[in-house]
Amino acid sequence: MRRYEVPRLAFINKLDRMGSDPWKVLNQARSKLRHHSAAVQVPIGLEENFQGLIDLVQLKAYYFHGSSGEKVVAEEIPADMDAIVAEKRRELIEMVSEVDDKLAEAFLNDEPISSVDLEEAVRRATIARKFVPVFMGSAFKNKGVQPLLDGVLSCLPCPIEVSNYALDQTKNEVKVMLPGTPDGPLVALAFKLEEGRFGQLTYLRVYEGVIRKGDFIVNINTGKKIKVPRLVRMHSDEMEDIQETHAGQIVAVFGVDCASGDTFTNGSVKYTMTSMSVPEPVMSLAVQPVSKDSGGQFSKALNRFQREDPTFHVGLDAESGQTIISGMGELHLDIYVERIRREYKVDATVGKPRVNFRETITQRAEFDYLHKKQSGGQGQYGRVCGYVEPIPPGSPIKIEFENMIVGQAIPSNFIPAIEKGFKEAANSGSLIGHPVENIRIVLTDGASHAVDSSELAFKLAAIYAFRQCYSAARPVILEPIMLVELKVPTEFQGTVAGDINKRKGVIVGNDQDGDDSIITVNVPLNNMFGYSTMLRSMTQGKGEFTMEYKEHSPVSQDVQMQLVSTHKADKAE
């Protein structure tokens, strides 16, 4: 929420449980989460005596009657609670005064502060993200839920008060402010997909303009134009058909084929909402259905998950013929395998997790290969000469092909076949069979035969030429390095740092945050298997970590030799 600058309010739940102590929770939120917060309500009784709440802003007591707390009754504050209400209201005013000048002025001049003044000050401070109002209740009995929803209305910004920006695709992604009015051109974002009873249900957040049933809308990411067949407003799992929806609202549509993160407009503008940065997948698993009959459901599940989640990829291993799913980590893939079981009733067997290595070369190497085959009838003839060289890492193109032949040594209609051959060969390097990247292939010369040359001959010549020069170019293996952010109580910092060193991690930052240490490290993904369990046992369950892909970088010599020998042994098997 800090990263995305989201105003927030807090709700302390389960006041009817044994040992509930909202004031202790409030102090923890201040010390641990560093929230500048204060209660806007006081409970009437706690544990089994919890009856209702007193609103410190309006100075009213609320009781919740009925089987599910649906009848809210407002009464005067009980006389025996006047002292605590006065104390907590003063604390609330003091906390808000620290971050709101207008209220501070009234507070310092000892002017009486009305409910309206206090409510406005709380709203201003919350929207400015300088204050977190704290609500309380027991959601199980629906006690305190209605005042919480009223609090959402009174404290949080309405859609027009938030600055939303779109990127103009016609002007090199210049930021455009969206005023959020129904009069502007339509801009809507598909942020969630769901498999419903009637096919794919797409949730749209409308940032500007109006969508009406039967309108044509354009998917900016794919360029497709589609008609809106049905608009529904969702109430949990109930649907209400509506004719139109305006800016600031969330609506669901049926029959729209898209992926999550796609932007829709009415065709008059080419705006996209900020595109999600989708990192490369770093881990793969081989999966296959247990029974042959469930293949259809299995592929249906994988197709749907790919549309829902741009970081989830499905591919086929050419050598083994297995289906390979790739994603952002162990847990990510475990959840999808579990969803295949639960939602599609397909039992799948899962192979060992595999890290997505890459290969690259470190020096220039020449190639000169003649592919010649004579076997009665038309033969095959193709000769390619040139060199391969490394591209500096971080360039947007992973494999570059350049044709620098002067004259017609190779007819130009064969050049695409040669490029295809090289790119196919680069799909699996000879060290451990992973894709080769950051490589430039330059064709400088060659020879062709008037009769025997064909696209196939040149494609094969390119594949063999690549294999011939690859080992001379001093290839190395690249492994995914993860940027890991650990948050651990300071007393465990030494143990955790020692373990990171054992995993060949490099510590790049260490900050203090209250009682916690925040350690930033770069660790090879291959050494992070089962880390969550390990971290929990080292920190008594108090440590947590987040992990995201940073880059691929070369492995050390001993690791490379180990990986190559494992690959050879697997191939021999």
Side-chain angles (χ1 to χ4, degrees):
M1 285 179 142
R2 282 198 184 105
R3 179 192 295 173
Y4 291 112
E5 301 183 342
V6 181
R8 71 211 77 155
L9 38 93
F11 179 71
I12 299 176
N13 193 10
K14 302 183 183 175
L15 293 191
D16 54 351
R17 292 279 183 93
M18 271 183 71
S20 61
D21 182 352
W23 309 115
K24 183 175 149 200
V25 177
L26 181 57
N27 287 327
Q28 283 176 335
R30 286 172 185 163
S31 61
K32 290 262 167 47
L33 301 173
R34 299 201 314 286
H35 278 180
H36 185 78
S37 57
V40 290
Q41 294 172 334
V42 173
I44 304 173
L46 280 175
E47 301 181 9
E48 67 268 23
N49 304 323
F50 174 60
Q51 293 161 347
L53 296 161
I54 295 170
D55 186 328
L56 297 176
V57 179
Q58 307 295 348
L59 292 174
K60 281 261 192 307
Y62 291 110
Y63 296 91
F64 303 88
H65 300 302
S67 56
S68 53
E70 69 275 8
K71 295 193 190 82
V72 184
V73 181
E75 291 181 16
E76 290 307 307
I77 296 171
D80 59 343
M81 293 192 69
D82 282 344
I84 187 169
V85 168
E87 178 204 329
K88 294 294 177 191
R89 189 171 200 256
R90 187 177 173 79
E91 186 184 306
L92 169 67
I93 292 170
E94 274 177 25
M95 284 299 240
V96 180
S97 299
E98 283 177 32
V99 291
D100 187 82
D101 297 343
K102 199 169 163 188
L103 190 73
E105 205 174 300
F107 176 63
L108 293 170
N109 295 339
D110 270 339
E111 293 170 15
I113 289 166
S114 71
S115 304
V116 178
D117 293 343
L118 183 52
E119 188 175 350
E120 284 175 0
V122 168
R123 179 182 173 82
R124 282 195 301 270
T126 308
I127 290 178
R129 302 191 312 281
K130 290 176 177 170
F131 177 71
V132 181
V134 177
F135 293 78
M136 357 190 135
S138 159
F140 174 59
K141 299 277 187 346
N142 272 330
K143 292 183 178 176
V145 174
Q146 297 91 331
L148 172 68
L149 293 175
D150 292 342
V152 169
L153 284 178
S154 68
C155 302
L156 295 179
C158 106
I160 300 171
E161 294 172 298
V162 182
S163 306
N164 290 311
Y165 293 95
L167 306 175
D168 192 340
Q169 295 300 323
T170 54
K171 295 183 184 158
N172 205 4
E173 301 215 340
V174 176
K175 267 190 167 185
V176 186
M177 169 92 175
L178 296 176
T181 60
D183 313 330
L186 170 71
V187 180
L189 176 74
F191 65 91
K192 174 182 163 68
L193 309 180
E194 198 177 86
E195 198 68 30
R197 295 191 299 273
F198 313 107
Q200 181 178 306
L201 185 64
T202 308
Y203 285 82
L204 292 177
R205 158 79 153 86
V206 185
Y207 283 96
E208 194 171 340
V210 180
I211 301 181
R212 293 183 182 82
K213 189 174 164 178
D215 275 3
F216 282 97
I217 56 175
V218 178
N219 182 339
I220 296 297
N221 301 55
T222 61
K224 282 185 187 158
K225 191 173 185 180
I226 19 192
K227 189 175 181 179
V228 179
R230 185 178 168 200
L231 282 175
V232 288
R233 186 181 290 136
M234 303 295 293
H235 300 268
S236 68
D237 58 352
E238 290 170 23
M239 298 173 194
E240 175 196 336
D241 273 288
I242 54 175
Q243 293 306 310
E244 62 175 32
T245 179
H246 293 259
Q249 295 184 331
I250 288 175
V251 69
V253 291
F254 277 108
V256 171
D257 186 30
C258 67
S260 53
D262 284 359
T263 306
F264 291 93
T265 72
N266 56 4
S268 62
V269 286
K270 279 196 90 167
Y271 291 170
T272 58
M273 297 311 289
T274 37
S275 49
M276 295 183 284
S277 58
V278 180
E280 286 278 303
V282 288
M283 187 168 283
S284 305
L285 280 178
V287 286
Q288 60 194 68
V290 174
S291 71
K292 290 270 189 292
D293 314 335
S294 50
Q297 285 290 85
F298 179 69
S299 57
K300 196 171 157 188
L302 293 182
N303 280 338
R304 174 185 154 202
F305 297 155
Q306 254 180 304
R307 275 218 299 271
E308 276 179 24
D309 180 355
T311 59
F312 177 77
H313 293 244
V314 179
L316 205 66
D317 185 357
E319 282 179 17
S320 62
Q322 286 174 309
T323 304
I324 306 285
I325 56 172
S326 314
M328 301 316 298
E330 283 177 277
L331 181 65
H332 187 193
L333 296 177
D334 285 349
I335 288 170
Y336 278 120
V337 172
E338 183 51 42
R339 281 184 67 188
I340 293 173
R341 260 183 218 134
R342 209 179 49 234
E343 294 173 27
Y344 287 88
K345 312 283 185 285
V346 175
D347 265 334
T349 51
V350 178
K352 272 213 316 275
R354 255 191 11 186
V355 170
N356 292 348
F357 292 103
R358 295 278 181 269
E359 298 183 25
T360 190
I361 56 172
T362 53
Q363 67 181 32
R364 179 176 155 153
E366 309 281 337
F367 60 83
D368 179 349
Y369 188 84
L370 169 62
H371 175 68
K372 192 173 170 188
K373 203 170 175 191
Q374 205 64 47
S375 55
Q378 187 185 351
Q380 291 179 8
Y381 185 97
R383 180 177 174 200
V384 288
C385 311
Y387 59 88
V388 293
E389 62 180 5
I391 309 178
S395 72
I397 300 171
K398 302 291 184 205
I399 302 174
E400 250 181 65
F401 176 79
E402 252 179 82
N403 173 22
M404 293 179 75
I405 296 181
V406 180
Q408 283 282 316
I410 298 176
S412 53
N413 55 327
F414 293 135
I415 301 295
I418 296 174
E419 183 175 353
K420 196 174 170 193
F422 277 122
K423 287 190 172 164
E424 208 169 284
N427 273 339
S428 67
S430 56
L431 289 177
I432 53 168
H434 280 259
V436 183
E437 58 180 40
N438 296 343
I439 181 170
R440 180 186 289 120
I441 303 155
V442 182
L443 191 63
T444 54
D445 199 3
S448 65
H449 188 281
V451 179
D452 290 352
S453 284
S454 64
E455 288 194 355
L456 176 67
F458 275 110
K459 184 176 158 187
L460 291 170
I463 291 174
Y464 292 128
F466 183 83
R467 288 181 190 164
Q468 174 199 23
C469 69
Y470 187 66
S471 52
R474 300 245 316 269
V476 292
I477 297 171
L478 303 174
E479 63 181 342
I481 301 291
M482 308 303 279
L483 178 67
V484 181
E485 194 177 87
L486 298 147
K487 191 173 183 183
V488 294
T490 308
E491 67 256 35
F492 304 115
Q493 190 182 343
T495 325
V496 171
D499 179 68
I500 284 292
N501 288 334
K502 266 197 259 168
R503 294 171 190 268
K504 298 191 177 163
V506 178
I507 295 178
V508 289
N510 195 340
D511 286 328
Q512 211 52 34
D513 177 8
D515 304 337
D516 292 335
S517 287
I518 293 180
I519 311 171
T520 317
V521 284
N522 295 339
V523 196
L525 175 67
N526 212 17
N527 305 341
M528 287 295 283
F529 284 112
Y531 185 63
S532 49
T533 322
M534 192 72 188
L535 182 68
R536 282 191 200 117
S537 61
M538 282 187 294
T539 60
Q540 300 173 2
K542 294 175 191 165
E544 51 183 56
F545 76 103
T546 59
M547 179 161 81
E548 60 180 90
Y549 169 72
K550 184 172 185 283
E551 61 190 4
H552 270 80
S553 71
V555 301
S556 57
Q557 200 56 43
D558 56 326
V559 175
Q560 176 149 331
M561 286 166 72
Q562 190 186 334
L563 287 168
V564 171
S565 57
T566 317
H567 177 66
K568 278 185 181 151
D570 287 353
K571 253 184 132 174
E573 268 181 41

